[in-house]
Amino acid sequence: MRSYRPYSDSELAFLLTQDDEQAFTEIYNRFYGLLFIHASKRLNDEEEAKDLLHQLFESLWIKRSQVAPDGNLSAYLYTAVRNRVLDVFAHHKVESRYVESLQNYIDQDHIQTDYLVREKQMSLLIEQEIDALPPKMREVFILSRKENKSHKEIALELGLSELTVKTQVKKALRILKTRLGLVVYVAFLLKTYH
């Protein structure tokens, strides 16, 4: 297997457009570290930065035919990270505006139906994120959080070890916390344990 390390960024970009998986791997290895530092500094959250880069490289492979082979690959990737970081901030902004407006309604003791509509929207958002979990993780998570089964009961039902069940639940909670943002995640936990 030949080494792709000597290739220039533009050569790798060209090979990427030709569906070359090794070129993609080299791009990933070459840029991941720097992009991770860049993203985690901006986001102040390493897990969120990891998720962002995972999505970025997944998107890069899916849209490989659209990469300009003679363009500046480094600038392209940094711009993509910057745009995704801005998207995360925009998402958080929308979320905090939503929470703020919800609080205003509660403070004003506004019509109960409006609050219920908002709560339904939040529940829908949470359900969508749970549905997006990997199948086995989703199954374990639903048995744990919605059916209130113990790790031991889930392990017996699904033929898994208790440690696997515990790990799956932990991972699911971490994914949900990252995707939903802290406020919605806490609201979800409060609902689950009431």
Side-chain angles (χ1 to χ4, degrees):
M1 198 164 78
R2 62 183 172 159
S3 169
Y4 277 58
R5 292 178 83 171
Y7 285 102
S8 70
D9 291 353
S10 54
E11 287 171 322
L12 287 173
F14 172 74
L15 290 169
L16 180 66
T17 63
Q18 306 302 300
D19 305 332
D20 189 319
E21 286 181 37
Q22 282 178 268
F24 174 76
T25 304
E26 179 59 35
I27 291 168
Y28 179 91
N29 292 337
R30 190 175 291 187
F31 288 101
Y32 184 89
L34 294 168
L35 293 173
F36 175 73
I37 291 166
H38 183 66
S40 52
K41 268 187 189 169
R42 300 283 179 282
L43 294 169
N44 228 357
D45 183 328
E46 290 195 352
E47 287 303 321
E48 206 159 23
K50 282 179 191 169
D51 280 355
L52 184 147
L53 287 182
H54 175 75
Q55 291 163 10
L56 169 72
F57 279 103
E58 190 176 36
S59 168
L60 179 67
W61 178 251
I62 291 166
K63 297 178 178 173
R64 60 193 176 275
S65 61
Q66 296 167 27
V67 174
D70 50 353
N72 184 336
L73 185 61
S74 173
Y76 174 83
L77 291 170
Y78 274 96
T79 302
V81 167
R82 191 196 66 207
N83 291 339
R84 284 171 183 269
V85 166
L86 291 173
D87 286 347
V88 168
F89 287 148
H91 178 75
H92 287 322
K93 212 173 193 176
V94 166
E95 185 185 279
S96 70
R97 269 207 307 266
Y98 163 74
V99 170
E100 211 175 280
S101 69
L102 181 60
Q103 191 58 52
N104 288 341
Y105 271 95
I106 293 166
D107 291 346
Q108 294 162 14
D109 199 24
H110 212 276
I111 312 163
Q112 186 66 16
T113 54
D114 205 79
Y115 173 73
L116 291 172
V117 166
R118 285 164 182 273
E119 195 179 58
K120 195 176 178 184
Q121 287 173 336
M122 188 154 65
S123 296
L124 207 65
L125 176 68
I126 291 165
E127 288 304 320
Q128 284 173 341
E129 291 304 341
I130 291 172
D131 287 345
L133 292 170
K136 184 57 77 178
M137 187 186 291
R138 183 175 65 234
E139 188 179 7
V140 168
F141 186 77
I142 287 170
L143 289 171
S144 166
R145 285 299 183 271
K146 290 192 174 176
E147 298 182 22
N148 294 319
K149 293 193 175 184
S150 70
H151 291 168
K152 193 172 190 171
E153 289 172 324
I154 297 167
L156 284 169
E157 189 174 322
L158 299 180
L160 301 168
S161 74
E162 274 187 67
L163 181 65
T164 302
V165 170
K166 191 177 179 181
T167 306
Q168 290 286 332
V169 170
K170 246 185 181 171
K171 279 184 180 173
L173 286 170
R174 198 175 70 224
I175 290 169
L176 291 173
K177 186 176 173 184
T178 303
R179 290 186 183 159
L180 293 170
L182 189 61
V183 178
V184 179
Y185 173 73
V186 169
F188 159 69
L189 287 181
L190 290 172
K191 279 181 73 174
T192 320
Y193 293 111
H194 274 15

